């Protein structure tokens, strides 16, 4: 018999996910879990079977832009891939956005929705991108109090009826202002108010440099009303309906689709707004502040996607390890291979608990259940979670590819895309450094906030979390968390020089992120021991604690400067 290598395969991605199922069993009352489990199991089945097979078959398809028709008319049509078309229908029918807004189970509906998104994401070629923006737009419009726009758009964004569904774009990035959105140059020109309308009408002129999922029916975008000052405060938040009643783009030209490293199925475009009709969402200023509900929702999706992609890579790697024989035995019997995978599982498991904890807090915030301290905790943990899990996803994906040897580097295995798609996670929705600075803003690094600022809310939260732990192996690990946070708190309090604070902000933020991950893992490990007689979360917590939590170290600014000179 000639040698045949069996490829990795997937089973029902819900049924076989120990971490997800154990977490849901802790967080949901048993009767609610029994009610939602069929939806999760069905999504897990789709993700492990049909959608995954389609994804492999659809590997080479990419979105296509047709700018001109045969008769010389500008059409700017974008055709998305077959899997994307199917993914939209599945997402809508399964309520991958809607579940969070139907609130059938109160604040826990946000967790249910994130669990659906987590299962859906790895088999649908980043269709989670338009879904994240759609979710964020619904949240932003609801927060705006603009009843006219809420009634007009939100029912479409959160429907379960595919023919009614709209996706939303988030058009922020410009050539001048990628991260520094306040530099945006798009101008909003007010138009004469139409007869018998009390609505102020604007037209937008400018160039949007990265607009994800350009096929959306609506977009939220930023533009500067004429006469407004520079900076983020001078921008206003606008609502656009991208097409007219004949399906033609409304004074929007698609200049080109971006040629990206990954997320290649996402039709990210460069646009010119050439007088696009737009409506104010809430006031003529403070656009950056007003769009932040959208940013915080897409950052949550980013974290959920990060843990979802880690889980996918590991599911494939575990399966392959049983099938691949080398040096006389399957890889799953090789100590070094297993040790490597165990390290990756540990990172993924820790990241999972932080991403889903932010989902819990987000759900409680939306249900109006957070007190001031918890609201502050959510504000700090959202960027911390996004930046920590984004970094973990890239490093886990890279190792997952390596665990396949050369096969991990070959495109038609469907593996390299895991690394390419993961690489976007620390970049879009705020890079690691921008989010580290956002975290500094959130904890009051300008020292003007007063109240429960600094690391205190996180310290109190973690202290409460680990109080319930009684296994001595876990109480020892709790000390690692508390020591890391104490160090972070004293570093923050003592570092008065803004340049030193900024230079260390990434290490500081990652320390908070890893400490929060370990604390959440410890809390879950104790529960899992007590309720499930399962020691695997404990093993993950022990390994994670040894992998490094406290990353804070000061480097001399002179060294930093000299090392970055050519
Ligand atoms: C599958 C995964 C899902 C992802 C799919 C999405 C695909 C979409 C792709 C994209 O569109 S990526 C583009 C995303 N762009 C960014 O994320 C921008 C990154 N830059 C930042 O986040 C900067 O921190 C920021 C633009 C917000 C800084 O701008 P400014 O003008 O310097 O803001 P400023 O003055 O610091 O803050 C303005 C107000 O907003 C302040 O409040 P006040 O007016 O009350 O003082 C801030 O406190 C508040 N603020 C800022 N960030 C906030 C926030 N509030 C709550 N949450 C936040 N995150």
């Amino acid at each position: 018999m000639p040698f045949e290598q069996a490829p990795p395969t997937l089973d029902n991605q819900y049924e076989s996910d120990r971490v997800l199922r154990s977490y849901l069993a802790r967080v949901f009352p048993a009767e609610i879990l029994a009610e939602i489990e069929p939806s999760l199991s069905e999504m897990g089945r789709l993700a492990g079977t049909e959608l995954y097979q389609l994804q492999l078959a659809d590997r080479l398809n990419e979105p296509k832009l047709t700018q001109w028709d045969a008769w010389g008319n500008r059409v700017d049509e974008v055709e998305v891939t077959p899997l994307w078309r199917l993914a939209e229908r599945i997402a809508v029918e399964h309520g991958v956005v809607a579940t969070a807004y139907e609130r059938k189970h109160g604040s826990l509906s946000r967790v249910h929705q994130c669990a659906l998104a987590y299962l859906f994401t790895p088999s649908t070629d980043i269709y989670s991108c338009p879904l994240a923006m759609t979710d964020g737009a619904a949240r932003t419009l609801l927060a705006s109090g603009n009843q006219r726009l809420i009634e007009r758009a939100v029912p479409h964004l959160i429907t379960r009826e595919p023919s009614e569904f709209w996706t939303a774009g988030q058009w922020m990035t410009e050539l001048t202002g990628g991260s520094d959105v306040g530099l945006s140059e798009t101008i909003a020109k007010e138009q004469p108010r139409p007869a018998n309308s009390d609505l102020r009408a604007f037209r937008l002129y400018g160039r949007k440099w990265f607009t994800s999922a350009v096929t959306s029916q609506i977009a939220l975008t930023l533009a500067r009303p004429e006469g407004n000052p520079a900076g983020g405060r001078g921008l206003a938040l606008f609502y656009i309906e991208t097409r007219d009643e004949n399906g033609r783009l409304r004074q929007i030209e698609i200049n080109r689709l971006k040629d990206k490293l990954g997320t290649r199925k996402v039709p990210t475009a460069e646009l010119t707004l050439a007088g696009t009709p737009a409506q104010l969402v809430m006031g003529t200023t403070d656009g950056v502040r007003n769009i932040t509900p959208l940013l915080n929702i897409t950052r949550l999706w980013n974290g959920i996607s990060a843990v979802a992609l880690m889980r996918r890579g590991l599911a494939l790697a575990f399966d392959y390890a049983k099938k691949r024989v080398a040096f006389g035995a399957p890889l799953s019997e090789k100590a070094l291979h297993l040790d490597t995978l165990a390290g990756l599982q540990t990172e993924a498991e820790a990241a999972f608990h932080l991403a889903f904890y932010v989902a819990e807090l987000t759900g409680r915030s939306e249900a109006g259940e957070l007190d001031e301290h918890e609201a502050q905790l959510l504000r700090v943990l959202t960027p911390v979670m996004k930046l920590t899990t984004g970094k973990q996803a890239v490093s886990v994906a890279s190792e997952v590819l390596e665990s396949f040897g050369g096969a991990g580097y070959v495109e038609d295995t469907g593996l390299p895309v895991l690394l390419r798609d993961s690489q976007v996670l620390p970049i879009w929705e705020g890079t690691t450094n921008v989010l580290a600075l956002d975290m500094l803003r959130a904890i009051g690094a300008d020292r003007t906030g007063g109240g429960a600022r600094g690391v205190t809310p996180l310290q109190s939260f973690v202290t409460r979390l680990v109080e319930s732990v009684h296994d001595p192996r876990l109480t020892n690990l709790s000390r690692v968390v508390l020591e890391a946070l104490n160090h972070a708190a004293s570093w923050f309090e003592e570092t008065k020089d803004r340049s030193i604070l900024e230079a260390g902000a990434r290490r500081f933020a990652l320390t908070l992120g890893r400490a929060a991950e370990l604390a959440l893992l410890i809390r879950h490990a104790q529960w899992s021991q007590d309720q499930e007689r399962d020691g695997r979360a404990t093993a993950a917590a022990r390994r994670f604690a040894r992998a490094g939590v406290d990353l804070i170290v000061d480097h001399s600014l002179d060294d930093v400067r000299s090392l970055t000179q050519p």
Side-chain angles (χ1 to χ4, degrees), residues 311-388:
R311 149 80 177 147
R312 169 55 49 88
L314 283 164
L316 292 168
F318 290 145
D319 184 68
Y320 189 66
K322 286 190 249 145
K323 294 173 171 163
R324 177 71 179 166
V325 176
F327 301 110
L331 294 178
S332 58
E333 291 171 18
K334 302 279 180 187
L336 178 53
H337 192 75
L338 286 186
D339 184 80
T340 307
L341 295 186
L344 304 182
Q345 173 64 22
T346 297
E347 290 294 319
E349 207 158 325
F352 175 97
H353 286 286
L354 181 55
F356 273 85
Y357 184 67
V358 172
E360 284 174 50
L361 281 179
T362 302
R364 293 186 47 223
S365 163
E366 291 166 328
E369 291 171 5
L370 296 188
D371 64 24
E372 190 193 331
H373 294 286
E374 290 170 317
Q376 173 63 8
L377 186 64
L378 174 61
R379 174 70 184 93
V380 173
L381 278 185
T382 300
V384 162
M385 177 279 291
K386 192 279 190 186
L387 71 85
T388 308

Side-chain angles (χ1 to χ4, degrees), residues 182-468:
L183 293 176
S184 298
E185 291 184 324
T186 297
I187 295 293
K189 296 188 183 203
E190 187 154 10
Q191 307 298 304
R193 209 172 283 204
N196 61 39
S197 167
D198 57 349
L199 264 188
R200 292 176 74 178
F202 287 81
R203 284 185 182 269
L204 307 189
Y205 297 84
R207 198 163 154 211
K208 297 287 174 182
W209 186 240
F210 264 95
T211 56
S212 284
V214 70
T215 43
S216 293
Q217 286 81 0
I218 68 163
L220 295 184
T221 191
L222 298 173
R224 198 175 309 282
E226 283 182 302
N228 269 20
R233 289 197 198 290
L235 294 170
L237 175 58
F238 284 95
Y239 167 92
I240 290 174
E241 289 190 5
T242 54
R243 291 182 183 271
D244 64 20
E245 39 297 332
N246 301 315
R248 278 192 296 262
L249 284 168
R250 294 181 203 259
Q251 282 78 48
I252 299 169
E253 286 172 5
I254 304 179
N255 303 331
R256 57 178 161 166
L257 296 184
K258 294 294 197 184
D259 187 6
K260 296 165 292 174
L261 171 70
T263 65
R264 292 190 65 90
K265 313 292 178 133
V266 182
T268 307
E270 200 183 300
L271 302 180
T272 298
L273 306 182
T276 310
Q279 291 179 43
L280 287 168
V281 176
M282 51 189 306
T284 52
T285 58
D286 292 305
V288 169
R289 186 177 62 210
N290 294 338
I291 205 168
T292 56
L294 201 166
L295 295 184
N296 291 330
I297 290 290
T298 48
R299 286 170 188 174
L300 169 62
W301 274 80
N302 207 88
I304 297 294
S305 301
V307 292
L309 291 181
M310 285 188 258
R311 149 80 177 147
R312 169 55 49 88
L314 283 164
L316 292 168
F318 290 145
D319 184 68
Y320 189 66
K322 286 190 249 145
K323 294 173 171 163
R324 177 71 179 166
V325 176
F327 301 110
L331 294 178
S332 58
E333 291 171 18
K334 302 279 180 187
L336 178 53
H337 192 75
L338 286 186
D339 184 80
T340 307
L341 295 186
L344 304 182
Q345 173 64 22
T346 297
E347 290 294 319
E349 207 158 325
F352 175 97
H353 286 286
L354 181 55
F356 273 85
Y357 184 67
V358 172
E360 284 174 50
L361 281 179
T362 302
R364 293 186 47 223
S365 163
E366 291 166 328
E369 291 171 5
L370 296 188
D371 64 24
E372 190 193 331
H373 294 286
E374 290 170 317
Q376 173 63 8
L377 186 64
L378 174 61
R379 174 70 184 93
V380 173
L381 278 185
T382 300
V384 162
M385 177 279 291
K386 192 279 190 186
L387 71 85
T388 308
T389 57
K391 282 291 177 207
Q392 287 170 305
V394 176
S395 104
V396 166
S398 171
E399 286 284 357
V400 161
L401 264 53
E402 189 177 334
S403 79
F404 284 86
Y409 203 63
V410 169
E411 290 291 352
D412 52 4
T413 60
L415 294 166
V417 70
L418 283 171
L419 179 58
R420 283 201 304 271
D421 285 354
S422 296
Q423 183 62 65
V424 84
L425 298 168
I427 296 178
W428 68 6
E429 289 311 318
T431 60
T432 309
N433 286 359
V434 166
L435 289 176
L437 297 175
D438 181 51
M439 179 275 307
L440 284 187
R441 173 176 33 215
I443 67 170
D446 57 3
R447 321 274 171 184
T448 57
R453 290 295 190 93
V455 182
T456 316
L458 192 54
Q459 282 174 301
S460 325
F461 160 68
V462 162
T463 307
R464 279 198 311 279
L465 214 57
V466 295
E467 262 166 13
S468 58

